[in-house]
Amino acid sequence: MTRLRALCTAVALVCASGQALADTASHNASAEKFLVMAHADKLGTPVYMQVQQMFAQRFEQTKAPASKKAVLETYQAKANAALDQAIGWNKLKPDMIKLYTSTFSESELKDLVAFYQSPLGKKVLEKMPAVTQQSAQLTQQKLESAVPVVNKLLADMTNELDPSAGKAAAPAKKP
């Protein structure tokens, strides 16, 4: 009787773990489908472009002749390979799937996929990068007016906390 009970328990555990694995695989698949739809595989593109630009600028700074452009291209390719090892989609995808499956239920991921397949969702995917960039630029422009005020407040606080620090930092008065 004890063996039968142990066998039934083992069978139940195997069935439950199989269902959990199936649920996990389905959840992961939903996350991956959403990530593909959201073009998450392109997240590193700005970094690649910035690195390529750095190499091109350095090439110009060295005043290398055009005949040495192959050297630039070789190093840009090596930089791309290094970036692929660090942030290539095949490196990011498993962690991104974990992030999305820990943040969203499978049902929520399916709802996100359905939304992004809709006309409005497609528009959001298309327009949001530019809107985000413009939002950051607007914020930066508005922030510039606060920088002098924040710097003055920082100096005032420093002087209040340590009056001798302000005197040392203040320019010497001419006699």
Side-chain angles (χ1 to χ4, degrees):
M1 189 66 160
T2 305
R3 281 187 172 168
L4 182 58
R5 197 174 289 159
L7 182 60
C8 288
T9 301
V11 168
L13 287 174
V14 167
C15 289
S17 67
Q19 181 61 40
L21 288 174
D23 289 347
T24 299
S26 177
H27 196 181
N28 287 349
S30 294
E32 185 171 357
K33 184 173 184 176
F34 169 73
L35 289 166
V36 167
M37 181 170 287
H39 307 292
D41 59 326
K42 306 286 188 263
L43 286 173
T45 299
V47 175
Y48 283 78
M49 290 172 49
Q50 189 174 16
V51 168
Q52 294 301 302
Q53 186 177 10
M54 285 174 24
F55 276 88
Q57 287 173 345
R58 181 63 53 91
F59 183 79
E60 287 180 27
Q61 289 170 353
T62 63
K63 296 183 180 10
S67 62
K68 295 281 188 178
K69 190 161 183 175
V71 172
L72 166 64
E73 292 168 354
T74 297
Y75 278 93
Q76 286 176 321
K78 288 178 182 181
N80 280 347
L83 291 172
D84 285 344
Q85 289 298 312
I87 61 166
W89 181 237
N90 62 331
K91 297 289 184 178
L92 288 177
K93 185 169 84 169
D95 292 331
M96 294 292 282
I97 288 173
K98 284 180 192 173
L99 174 63
Y100 277 79
T101 57
S102 67
T103 304
F104 299 104
S105 70
E106 183 174 359
S107 174
E108 291 168 332
L109 287 165
K110 287 180 178 180
D111 288 347
L112 284 169
V113 167
F115 170 72
Y116 284 113
Q117 287 175 332
S118 74
L120 177 58
K122 289 176 183 177
K123 183 175 183 177
V124 168
L125 283 174
E126 177 189 336
K127 302 289 184 181
M128 196 52 72
V131 169
T132 301
Q133 182 181 10
Q134 290 170 357
S135 297
Q137 288 171 345
L138 287 170
T139 302
Q140 182 65 33
Q141 290 168 355
K142 301 289 183 190
L143 181 62
E144 288 175 12
S145 67
V147 170
V149 174
V150 171
N151 285 338
K152 169 119 177 44
L153 290 169
L154 185 59
D156 290 349
M157 182 187 78
T158 302
N159 288 336
E160 187 175 329
L161 294 173
D162 185 4
S164 65
K167 291 177 186 170
K173 293 182 180 179
K174 293 185 179 179

